[in-house]
Amino acid sequence: MRGILTYHSLDESGSPISIEPRVFRSQMEFLARGKPRVVPLADVVRPDAPDETVALTFDDAFANFHELAAPLLADLGLPATLFVVTDHVGRDNNWASAHQAHVTVPSLALMSWDDLEDVTRRGVEIGAHSRRHPHLTTLRPAALADEVHGSAERIRAMLGARPTSFAYPYGDVNDTVASAVRSAYQRACTTQLRALAIGDDPARLPRLDAYYFRAEGQLEQWGTPAFQRRLWLRAQARRVRGLVSAAAQRV
């Protein structure tokens, strides 16, 4: 089983984007033991990537990544990709519509450019997560291009290298958005909840939200029938919620 794990914030709030630091440490110590093997994002999506591999991704670039995650990842020798909302660097996650869609998400500080430079020296890959974290499918072509290409250019200007990976804010993607992202990046991550499969579109990579595996011992079941059954059930529940939400919006 190959997959991409998603994390957001390491904090004690219990929110849908939060993992307790002690749980995160336990999960990383498990992964450092080598099964599954943690590899860079670019490697886990290669067609010849072996089974039992996983990539670690972190969305939004919260300050607690710099404080808690980056040192631990460096100590354990685990590679990771950090997706940055460029216009909010050094500020917080109060981007437009965020708290309408996720009313229980706390307001949290984000990393500064100096923090980002520091974690790159520790080996963390910096990816783009748009400029302002909008719903990309709602944007006109010029605004979409600005979010997709503008975020890459800002990272290049500030950190010296253009990112090759992108993550869709809210997982919001359609054919138009995927095409725009494909023109600027080598790979892009969605919020589709499933493991990687041979032939996956590099511009629509699925990920496994670590929030669903935060209970003690759950991530340690990686690849087992019990783990895959739990993943399937979670994916079906998310699909039903999406259908209900879409139906309510049409009323």
Side-chain angles (χ1 to χ4, degrees), residues 47-66:
D48 60 348
D51 288 337
E52 303 306 323
T53 53
V54 63
L56 303 177
T57 64
F58 296 78
D59 286 6
D60 304 330
F62 289 105
N64 53 51
F65 177 89
H66 182 241

Side-chain angles (χ1 to χ4, degrees), residues 32-155:
R33 293 196 285 272
K35 188 175 180 181
R37 180 186 173 199
V38 180
V39 299
L41 181 59
D43 290 351
V44 79
V45 299
R46 290 173 50 177
D48 60 348
D51 288 337
E52 303 306 323
T53 53
V54 63
L56 303 177
T57 64
F58 296 78
D59 286 6
D60 304 330
F62 289 105
N64 53 51
F65 177 89
H66 182 241
E67 297 160 3
L68 302 173
L72 179 61
L73 294 170
D75 287 347
L76 296 175
L78 300 179
T81 299
L82 179 68
F83 291 111
V84 177
V85 183
T86 56
D87 282 18
H88 283 258
V89 169
R91 297 167 56 190
D92 56 41
N93 62 324
N94 291 307
W95 31 71
S97 80
H99 298 287
Q100 297 172 14
H102 303 289
V103 294
T104 59
V105 171
S107 178
L108 297 164
L110 301 177
M111 294 167 62
S112 68
W113 287 110
D114 285 345
D115 294 338
L116 292 167
E117 186 174 17
D118 180 56
V119 299
T120 63
R121 289 194 293 265
R122 297 173 184 258
V124 174
E125 177 196 5
I126 301 299
H129 199 30
S130 78
R131 288 186 59 189
R132 305 173 190 88
H133 207 283
H135 287 273
L136 295 178
T137 61
T138 68
L139 302 182
R140 294 182 181 275
L144 173 60
D146 182 49
E147 291 288 343
V148 171
H149 293 273
S151 54
E153 283 304 312
R154 181 65 169 164
I155 290 170

